[in-house]
Amino acid sequence: MKLATLNDGSRDGRLLVVSRDLLQAVHAPVSTLQYAIENWTRAEPVLQALYEKLNVGDAAGSFAFDPVTAMAPLPRAYQWCDGSAFLNHGTLMQKAFNLEPIEGVEHTPLMYQGAGDDFFGPRSDICLPSVEQGIDFEGEFGVLVDDVPLGCSAGQALGHIKLVLQINDVSLRALAPREMKTGFGFLQAKPSTGFAPVAVTPDELGDSWHEGRVHLPLNVQWNGQWFGQPNGGQMDFSFGDLIAHAAFTRRLGAGTLIGSGTVSNRERSAGSACIAERRAIEMIEHGAPRTTFMKFGDRVQMEVFGKDGQSLFGAIDQRVVQANN
């Protein structure tokens, strides 16, 4: 099943069921994705039945789906926790900047709590104050969960994943070092996060979803040029591990979003999903970075295709612009 949120002028939008080929949509019988995830046992069968009708052209009131009108699938979340599940990314940063290794990083996931009150839609401009802040994109996968009990195990956590999403976790690299040194985590360095237009149930990924990972490449372009296609299957920590980590000392409310962190592969031929990683590789190989961060007017595009060549989540296509004060 594929779900999106139509921008109807309200904060939480209007929930849509979207066809498998992303060409048609129909208004869902429940108003918002937050309501659906909080009442998933009752809502899911109804939404699934409507999805099946839509795919065979039998859904009354269907219309052409336009991702330009889509908000983030969940426009705002009570909780947004982003991990760093690809150890290769951290290893490259550590080597490039001569950082001290983080004790136990191979066994305990890194995670911070981000701002979930104002997510970007797939075609929304990324409005920021200054290019001096080191504007970067970060291609990630994410999952949306129902209510997760305190102390949930990684194996049990997989059963709480109801939807999979694709993410552009915008980062401001010039602001990050100071915030990391404080020990309080990111705030200014992590502005609003962008999402592909459609969230999908895990079964839509077929055998590309197993062991709590998306075993597909994330295709990234910057200003129309290939930047990378790292595969999500190389997560060192699964989404089950990440959810269990977040739920170690507390319950997670329905609608909590968990991110994978930057998709990163050990094979250099896969490219990168963020500029910072490419710069780190350049520092290791050449002694200094050669790639600059984003400028106003730059565009980033991200998309994931299934084994049949069909776009799974739809495309992120965002432009960086200067914010109006």
Side-chain angles (χ1 to χ4, degrees):
M1 179 168 56
K2 298 190 176 188
L3 302 173
T5 294
L6 176 68
N7 187 352
D8 65 352
S10 67
R11 288 182 181 269
D12 298 305
R14 175 71 185 274
L15 185 63
L16 301 177
V17 177
V18 181
S19 61
R20 182 170 287 111
D21 60 11
L22 305 180
L23 295 179
Q24 295 289 309
V26 63
H27 291 293
V30 297
S31 57
T32 67
L33 184 54
Q34 182 62 40
Y35 180 89
I37 205 74
E38 289 177 354
N39 300 275
W40 193 252
T41 302
R42 295 196 303 273
E44 189 273 337
V46 178
L47 294 170
Q48 181 65 36
L50 184 56
Y51 179 63
E52 292 170 3
K53 287 185 177 181
L54 183 63
N55 284 324
V56 297
D58 193 31
S62 64
F63 53 90
F65 177 62
D66 183 0
V68 173
T69 66
M71 305 171 77
L74 187 68
R76 52 179 178 165
Y78 289 117
Q79 185 162 220
W80 158 229
C81 298
D82 198 15
S84 184
F86 294 85
L87 295 181
N88 181 65
H89 179 72
T91 299
L92 289 171
M93 295 297 178
Q94 178 186 325
K95 187 173 182 180
F97 295 99
N98 296 313
L99 302 174
E100 290 293 324
I102 300 173
E103 185 178 352
V105 71
E106 301 89 353
H107 309 292
T108 304
L110 299 178
M111 184 173 286
Y112 75 94
Q113 193 164 31
D117 58 319
D118 184 30
F119 291 142
F120 288 139
R123 301 294 193 274
S124 299
D125 287 341
I126 301 169
C127 302
L128 292 167
S130 171
V131 295
E132 301 302 319
Q133 294 172 343
I135 303 168
D136 198 357
F137 50 80
E138 284 193 64
E140 304 188 13
F141 292 104
V143 295
L144 186 65
V145 300
D146 62 4
D147 288 304
V148 178
L150 182 154
C152 184
S153 70
Q156 293 169 332
L158 293 176
H160 292 281
I161 296 172
K162 302 308 174 189
L163 293 165
V164 184
L165 305 93
Q166 200 270 299
I167 299 168
N168 175 20
D169 182 39
V170 181
S171 296
L172 302 178
R173 301 299 186 180
L175 304 181
R178 178 192 173 276
E179 293 192 326
M180 288 189 286
K181 287 179 182 178
T182 66
F184 274 73
F186 298 119
L187 181 66
Q188 294 177 339
K190 291 290 186 178
S192 295
T193 303
F195 288 79
V198 172
V200 309
T201 48
D203 61 287
E204 289 291 327
L205 280 71
D207 61 7
S208 296
W209 173 260
H210 59 93
E211 299 177 330
R213 296 167 172 85
V214 179
H215 291 261
L216 290 169
L218 170 57
N219 300 279
V220 181
Q221 290 190 347
W222 179 14
N223 292 329
Q225 301 295 314
W226 181 89
F227 195 84
Q229 53 184 36
N231 194 298
Q234 289 193 22
M235 284 176 76
D236 293 276
F237 297 101
S238 71
F239 276 112
D241 295 324
L242 296 179
I243 294 165
H245 177 76
F248 184 63
T249 58
R250 57 180 171 176
R251 297 177 296 173
L252 306 181
T256 293
L257 274 163
I258 305 288
S260 67
T262 305
V263 180
S264 179
N265 291 176
R266 295 167 184 84
E267 301 83 9
R268 298 285 170 84
S269 60
S272 299
C274 73
I275 300 171
E277 182 171 296
R278 176 180 281 189
R279 285 167 58 91
I281 293 170
E282 291 169 345
M283 291 173 69
I284 294 167
E285 294 182 348
H286 308 292
R290 298 180 175 181
T291 303
T292 61
F293 289 112
M294 300 183 83
K295 300 179 176 62
F296 293 136
D298 281 6
R299 290 175 65 191
V300 60
Q301 296 164 298
M302 301 180 183
E303 195 161 8
V304 178
F305 298 94
K307 292 180 179 179
D308 60 358
Q310 170 67 48
S311 179
L312 279 168
F313 307 97
I316 289 174
D317 188 350
Q318 297 178 310
R319 184 172 60 115
V320 176
V321 301
Q322 187 164 22
N324 294 320
N325 295 326

